Amino acid sequence: MTFYQELQLNQAGSKNLLKKSETLKEKLYHMWVYLVKIAATMAFCFFFVSIFSILFGNENSIVGVVVLLCLMVFRNADLGIHTGQSTMLLALFFVIMTVCPHLANQFSPVLGMLLNIAALAVLILFGCHNPSMFNQSTLVLGYLLLYGYDVTGKSYQMRLVGMALGAALTCFVFYRNHKNRTYKRNLKDLIQEFDITSSRTKWQICQILCVPIVLCIAELCNMPRAMWAGIAAMSVILPSMEDMHYRVRKRIVGNIAGVICFTVLYFLLPSSIYAYIGILGGIGVGFSAQYGWQAVFNTFGALAIAAETYGLQGAVSLRVSQNVFGVVFALAFCVMFYWFMPKKKESEVTVHAE
């Protein structure tokens, strides 16, 4: 494996190489490559988001985050169907992420929930067809971030331009990287594969319904940062109940641990570098291959921003309450949803297996 190829590995792949190292020299080399990858990734992310902030305003820095997320994911991940159709779908996804979160914020919580359901239905049914790809962690997360950091007036006009640029970049990179691949399925196949008795479709419907409902309830209860509850719910909804239970536990424990670590750093470090705690969290996420540790370090960035508005105590209480509410509600919702939904008959399962 070349140096460049090793740089393309994810955290789990890099850590697997470290575990398999037979000599100290080999382990030190893989560790060095891993550190270079983390440093290069952080530098590129910081530069990319900074450019978007300069071009489109600080209030639209979140656009840089969403575009960067899409670029880094979809340069490798696909939608499982014909490349041309997938590219058009990506362009549509950017339109939805640009328009629908803004419109939903203009409506009442209930009407906004209905619009969010419609928008997420398109994103998830056509963009998250393969649960193992975790495309929902890109598309739904991007949608929720833009929903939570909504802007108006001139800032929204600049957001339109920024998202249009992001769509062009993402579609170009996606098509270039996937144009030579052969796919047996197309958009029509995705529609035909919709089956409310399958675990995949049930998972998709849970995402489509549960996340907007969580947002709506949080807003009706006048809970600031409602998107935190939505993101928490999105991250734990999985096709397998066993996996969901695991993520709910890890999300709650990791979130509390992250809050404690952030609070300690908040009191130990001078106020002039509070903003850099979020960067420290990003580095920690880069080193984390397990969901629990990612939940710990993701808390740093969220609290670093929220503490400026709500103070430390307010930000901490919001973070904990929103995350616990989001994951517990998601688990309860999915348990009841799966129980009420029809199941495949044994004869149908046998036929599919054959």
Side-chain angles (χ1 to χ4, degrees):
M1 183 180 295
T2 65
F3 176 78
Y4 178 77
Q5 290 173 330
E6 190 168 339
L7 284 177
Q8 305 308 306
L9 296 175
N10 57 20
Q11 294 98 321
S14 296
K15 291 188 174 182
N16 188 45
L17 279 180
L18 286 169
K19 290 181 180 179
K20 291 182 177 179
S21 298
E22 298 179 354
T23 65
L24 178 60
K25 182 179 179 180
E26 186 179 356
K27 177 167 290 195
L28 289 175
Y29 171 77
H30 291 315
M31 176 60 73
W32 175 72
V33 176
Y34 188 35
L35 292 174
V36 169
K37 179 180 68 176
I38 296 297
T41 301
M42 290 299 301
F44 174 75
C45 292
F46 180 79
F47 175 77
F48 190 92
V49 175
S50 296
I51 290 296
F52 264 75
S53 298
I54 293 171
L55 292 177
F56 307 110
N58 289 331
E59 62 276 12
N60 279 318
S61 62
I62 198 64
V63 174
V65 174
V66 172
V67 172
L68 176 64
L69 184 62
C70 290
L71 280 172
M72 295 183 71
V73 169
F74 290 114
R75 69 190 179 96
N76 294 320
D78 58 41
L79 301 183
I81 61 174
H82 185 272
T83 301
Q85 294 181 350
S86 294
T87 305
M88 289 188 290
L89 279 175
L90 278 178
L92 174 63
F93 295 161
F94 267 87
V95 173
I96 290 172
M97 290 191 292
T98 304
V99 176
C100 293
H102 179 68
L103 287 179
N105 273 294
Q106 313 308 312
F107 298 152
S108 67
V110 175
L111 289 178
M113 177 189 70
L114 297 177
L115 177 57
N116 288 333
I117 289 174
L120 292 189
V122 178
L123 295 180
I124 293 171
L125 291 177
F126 297 108
C128 307
H129 195 64
N130 185 355
S132 64
M133 297 289 287
F134 289 99
N135 284 348
Q136 73 277 8
S137 296
T138 302
L139 296 173
V140 180
L141 175 60
Y143 185 96
L144 293 174
L145 288 174
L146 292 167
Y147 179 87
Y149 293 101
D150 189 36
V151 291
T152 58
K154 179 67 175 179
S155 295
Y156 182 66
Q157 294 176 12
M158 297 302 292
R159 175 164 295 191
L160 292 174
V161 179
M163 288 295 286
L165 175 60
L169 286 173
T170 303
C171 290
F172 171 76
V173 171
F174 178 86
Y175 186 79
R176 184 197 63 185
N177 289 8
H178 299 275
K179 63 181 179 180
N180 295 323
R181 297 186 180 183
T182 302
Y183 297 96
K184 297 181 179 179
R185 296 152 71 229
N186 55 35
L187 185 58
K188 183 179 179 181
D189 293 317
L190 295 188
I191 298 174
Q192 292 176 339
E193 290 173 13
F194 183 86
D195 179 6
I196 59 174
T197 63
S198 71
S199 60
R200 175 177 60 198
T201 301
K202 290 177 183 177
W203 164 75
Q204 289 176 314
I205 296 175
C206 270
Q207 285 275 1
I208 293 167
L209 296 178
C210 183
V211 174
I213 291 174
V214 165
L215 287 175
C216 179
I217 294 174
E219 291 173 346
L220 288 174
C221 295
N222 294 318
M223 297 173 68
R225 300 282 173 175
M227 68 170 179
W228 281 354
I231 292 172
M234 176 274 296
S235 70
V236 300
I237 298 176
L238 297 171
S240 166
M241 271 297 161
E242 183 179 350
D243 292 338
M244 273 199 70
H245 281 93
Y246 169 82
R247 284 212 165 192
V248 167
R249 292 194 304 270
K250 293 296 182 180
R251 183 82 184 191
I252 293 176
V253 174
N255 183 67
I256 294 174
V259 163
I260 293 173
C261 293
F262 179 88
T263 303
V264 171
L265 291 173
Y266 193 89
F267 284 109
L268 290 179
L269 299 175
S271 58
S272 59
I273 62 172
Y274 283 167
Y276 295 99
I277 300 179
I279 297 177
L280 179 63
I283 296 174
V285 171
F287 280 104
S288 303
Q290 297 182 351
Y291 179 78
W293 284 107
Q294 291 172 358
V296 172
F297 291 111
N298 275 326
T299 302
F300 286 20
L303 287 178
I305 297 173
E308 297 178 2
T309 304
Y310 305 105
L312 178 62
Q313 183 176 352
V316 165
S317 61
L318 276 175
R319 182 68 183 179
V320 173
S321 60
Q322 293 279 34
N323 271 264
V324 172
F325 164 65
V327 299
V328 172
F329 182 90
L331 180 60
F333 180 92
C334 290
V335 168
M336 291 188 292
F337 181 83
Y338 288 163
W339 188 76
F340 279 109
M341 289 296 286
K343 298 177 176 59
K344 282 186 180 293
K345 297 179 181 179
E346 291 186 9
S347 57
E348 293 176 335
V349 175
T350 303
V351 170
H352 287 302
E354 293 174 350

